[in-house]
Amino acid sequence: GEDVEQSLFLSVREGDSSVINCTYTDSSSTYLYWYKQEPGAGLQLLTYIFSNMDMKQDQRLTVLLNKKDKHLSLRIADTQTGDSAIYFCAERGQAGTALIFGKGTTLSVSS
Amino acid sequence: DTEVTQTPKHLVMGMTNKKSLKCEQHMGHRAMYWYKQKAKKPPELMFVYSYEKLSINESVPSRFSPECPNSSLLNLHLHALQPEDSALYLCASTQAVTLNNEQFFGPGTRLTVL
């Protein structure tokens, strides 16, 4: 079956880079997503990457995809306290319908 | 307009009440979704509507009843809920139910069942 795994916690200092990692099992996934959820709020789509890409950069965000190892990472440069949130990795399931989410990584940024 | 709106933001109801959650989008999306999210957990899919027809029901109890009156609106009718149904209910939409669509989420309705 489809499964998405993430580490649960990451703590960094303001100004440092954060790297959040994710592994997935469905090799037929064509799109992989990163969502951010602040406390009490809904999910905000941060970025996504198509499976034929290795890297995608969007301002402070860099997504790396290793399709052979089924490994996805999100790098946040110059991490700010406002980046503190839960970050969910997600893939679209085989049926092509709803997203399969990882358990989320709680990013804590200290000043 | 790339927004999915949900009302109400918060809802407190008793186990004998009947209430409804509403979701709206004006992006012309033809697929809409209901997810349930418990604290510190990922969202779990409940229902998928495609072109106003229910295409997926993830074995959700009948005390949750979805409705899609038109392509912009999605409702979730609640009746005889249990305290364990307390959660954040998220609505989402995509252009269509295919592999290559961004899924936009609303802010959610935080439901508390007493």
Side-chain angles (χ1 to χ4, degrees):
Chain A
E2 300 132 350
D3 199 14
V4 179
E5 298 284 340
Q6 295 178 244
S7 52
L8 294 182
F9 299 101
L10 177 64
S11 183
V12 301
R13 297 181 71 91
E14 195 173 19
D16 288 349
S17 292
S18 307
V19 179
I20 302 172
N21 294 302
C22 170
T23 57
Y24 60 97
T25 56
D26 185 357
S27 56
S28 66
S29 295
T30 54
Y31 281 82
L32 295 133
Y33 305 82
W34 284 104
Y35 282 87
K36 175 184 179 182
Q37 187 174 34
E38 296 182 23
L43 275 75
Q44 174 194 354
L45 177 64
L46 284 179
T47 187
Y48 63 94
I49 188 166
F50 187 49
S51 60
N52 70 353
M53 297 168 67
D54 297 323
M55 186 181 88
K56 181 179 179 182
Q57 189 153 0
D58 185 0
Q59 299 182 340
R60 291 190 298 124
L61 304 178
T62 302
V63 179
L64 294 177
L65 175 61
N66 181 330
K67 198 173 179 185
K68 175 174 164 288
D69 295 338
K70 299 193 189 72
H71 182 264
L72 182 73
S73 68
L74 174 69
R75 179 176 179 270
I76 306 173
D78 187 25
T79 313
Q80 303 296 307
T81 54
D83 295 323
S84 294
I86 301 177
Y87 290 80
F88 290 99
C89 168
E91 63 169 350
R92 195 170 286 282
Q94 284 187 345
T97 55
L99 297 174
I100 309 297
F101 288 90
K103 288 185 167 55
T105 299
T106 299
L107 175 63
S108 175
V109 183
S110 57
S111 54
Chain B
D1 181 7
T2 57
E3 196 180 19
V4 177
T5 59
Q6 290 187 244
T7 55
K9 278 190 153 181
H10 301 275
L11 178 62
V12 179
M13 60 187 290
M15 289 190 283
T16 58
N17 292 157
K18 280 187 181 180
K19 296 286 184 184
S20 296
L21 310 185
K22 295 187 185 307
C23 173
E24 193 166 359
Q25 56 84 17
H26 295 288
M27 295 179 276
H29 288 178
R30 302 312 297 270
M32 297 184 77
Y33 309 73
W34 280 116
Y35 289 84
K36 172 183 177 180
Q37 187 182 26
K38 301 285 268 185
K40 308 286 189 191
K41 299 287 186 188
E44 296 174 358
L45 181 68
M46 299 175 73
F47 302 104
V48 181
Y49 271 83
S50 177
Y51 291 87
E52 295 110 72
K53 293 198 185 323
L54 182 65
S55 65
I56 292 182
N57 175 344
E58 290 285 346
S59 303
V60 179
S62 60
R63 57 185 185 267
F64 294 91
S65 174
E67 179 199 18
C68 190
N70 61 57
S71 60
S72 299
L73 292 174
L74 184 66
N75 299 321
L76 186 62
H77 303 297
L78 314 172
H79 175 53
L81 294 195
Q82 304 296 310
E84 59 264 29
D85 296 322
S86 297
L88 181 68
Y89 287 83
L90 294 163
C91 173
S93 71
T94 58
Q95 192 170 7
V97 180
T98 63
L99 288 169
N100 57 350
N101 286 278
E102 295 175 53
Q103 190 160 115
F104 294 91
F105 282 81
T109 293
R110 188 159 299 281
L111 174 68
T112 303
V113 182
L114 301 175

